[in-house]
Amino acid sequence: MATPQIHPNWDKTPDIITDGFSLEMTAKDEPKLREAAPLIPADTPIAITFLPGEDVEARVAATVAVRELGFEPMPHFSARRILSTDDFEGYLKAVVEQAGVKRCFIVAGDPPEPQGPYSDTSALIATGAFERAGVQAIGIGGHPEGHPNMTVDECWDVLEKKVAEIERRGMAPLIVTQFGFDPDAFLAWLKELRARGVDCPVRIGVPGPAGIKRLLAYAARCGVGASTSVLKKYGISVTNLLGSAGPDKLVDAFANGLGSEHGRVRLHFYPFGGMTKTLEWIHDYEKRHGAA
């Protein structure tokens, strides 16, 4: 069975590390997406998160907007936040029919107990709903710095089983990592991933430029490692938390450190400081590093 295509030229080595990047947004970010659209290359994958307290209609509208603006929507499905089978399949049907969705991203979600019938992402995959709807690719989370509720061995076991099951069902797996500040942790994790025989594409999570306090707040909320030594690698001094920080050092480290042993890799930006600000940083980075 042919593997569905996840991104044009994915197998081509990027001329610059930011080539083929993807972005993340929330439903309420739709106006900001429209404002920033001229800065985004056509067909750029854009993930639409599944946050508590949002209307399904707002998520669907944001997904439709991504498609109408010429980008590739990738809506999230948060297993433990889904209230019923009807809610799950209704949302999936809406984004497929109204926005031509071909790829989805699945997460377990923050609630310690499921609010409906799905306890984790494997339960969503097992329904068969994604392949019945014509979805070609499924994104799953990667955790280079570990997971707060699983051991390292459990993380690898779960990841490998999900990749295999997605492929068995005729879809293409894609791993999108949590954002982080430590390039060494990401590079080591990628090498182990490939050594374990997992060769699917990976998108490395990168925080867009933002205020330092905001970055650290998101890190604390998401369980991201932010020790003094790690922050120093990123360019943040814990003695001075004023001002903003961009991912220059982090992205430089990936540009210099990624090799064939790390497999197919692209960047995924979390625009904590705003969509336009993140895109302006990307364009500036490309100009400084010789992109046309």
Side-chain angles (χ1 to χ4, degrees):
M1 182 178 296
T3 300
Q5 191 170 358
I6 291 186
H7 191 281
N9 300 320
W10 187 274
D11 291 314
K12 176 181 177 290
T13 301
D15 296 323
I16 189 169
I17 188 65
T18 50
D19 282 353
F21 69 86
S22 58
L23 294 164
E24 190 142 321
M25 65 175 284
T26 67
K28 68 179 181 181
D29 290 331
E30 181 186 339
K32 297 174 184 176
L33 174 68
R34 293 185 182 278
E35 178 185 305
L39 298 173
I40 307 174
D43 300 320
T44 293
I46 299 181
I48 302 95
T49 58
F50 192 113
L51 299 179
E54 292 177 333
D55 292 332
V56 173
E57 291 78 10
R59 292 192 194 108
V60 173
T63 307
V64 170
V66 170
R67 175 65 74 197
E68 289 177 346
L69 289 167
F71 312 126
E72 188 65 38
M74 187 175 186
H76 284 203
F77 290 76
S78 181
R80 292 185 193 129
R81 293 192 188 282
I82 296 172
L83 301 179
S84 68
T85 299
D86 287 345
D87 285 344
F88 169 40
E89 297 196 1
Y91 180 42
L92 178 59
K93 180 180 179 181
V95 293
V96 168
E97 292 183 352
Q98 297 180 42
V101 162
K102 296 295 183 185
R103 66 187 78 186
C104 299
F105 185 81
I106 54 177
V107 295
D110 295 330
E113 298 295 332
Q115 298 172 349
Y118 308 109
S119 61
D120 55 26
T121 53
S122 294
L124 293 181
I125 297 170
T127 66
F130 291 114
E131 62 263 38
R132 287 197 300 271
V135 171
Q136 296 179 1
I138 297 290
I140 57 177
H143 302 277
E145 295 181 315
H147 191 285
N149 299 321
M150 289 190 287
T151 67
V152 172
D153 287 342
E154 287 171 339
C155 277
W156 285 120
D157 183 58
V158 169
L159 180 66
E160 290 169 348
K161 286 179 178 177
K162 283 190 285 191
V163 166
E165 182 63 10
I166 291 166
E167 290 177 335
R168 189 185 72 80
R169 292 173 176 274
M171 297 177 288
L174 167 69
I175 299 172
V176 184
T177 78
Q178 177 61 276
F179 78 93
F181 301 119
D182 186 356
D184 297 331
F186 281 78
L187 293 171
W189 180 85
L190 281 166
K191 286 184 71 172
E192 181 165 357
L193 180 78
R194 303 316 184 189
R196 288 172 172 269
V198 180
D199 64 356
C200 67
V202 174
R203 287 192 173 277
I204 299 175
V206 175
I212 293 172
K213 289 185 177 180
R214 172 172 285 192
L215 287 172
L216 295 182
Y218 276 106
R221 186 183 309 171
C222 299
V224 171
S227 66
T228 300
S229 59
V230 165
L231 293 176
K232 186 177 181 180
K233 289 183 190 179
Y234 190 79
I236 293 176
S237 169
V238 295
T239 61
N240 182 11
L241 299 182
L242 301 177
S244 299
D248 298 73
K249 288 188 175 182
L250 182 68
V251 174
D252 282 347
F254 291 140
N256 295 326
L258 285 168
S260 59
E261 69 273 23
H262 298 104
R264 294 172 290 172
V265 177
R266 294 291 188 272
L267 303 185
H268 178 74
F269 285 91
Y270 296 87
F272 299 133
M275 187 79 71
T276 297
K277 189 173 182 179
T278 294
L279 289 158
E280 288 174 343
W281 180 91
I282 293 171
H283 283 277
D284 181 63
Y285 184 90
E286 292 175 342
K287 287 180 181 177
R288 287 186 282 116
H289 291 78

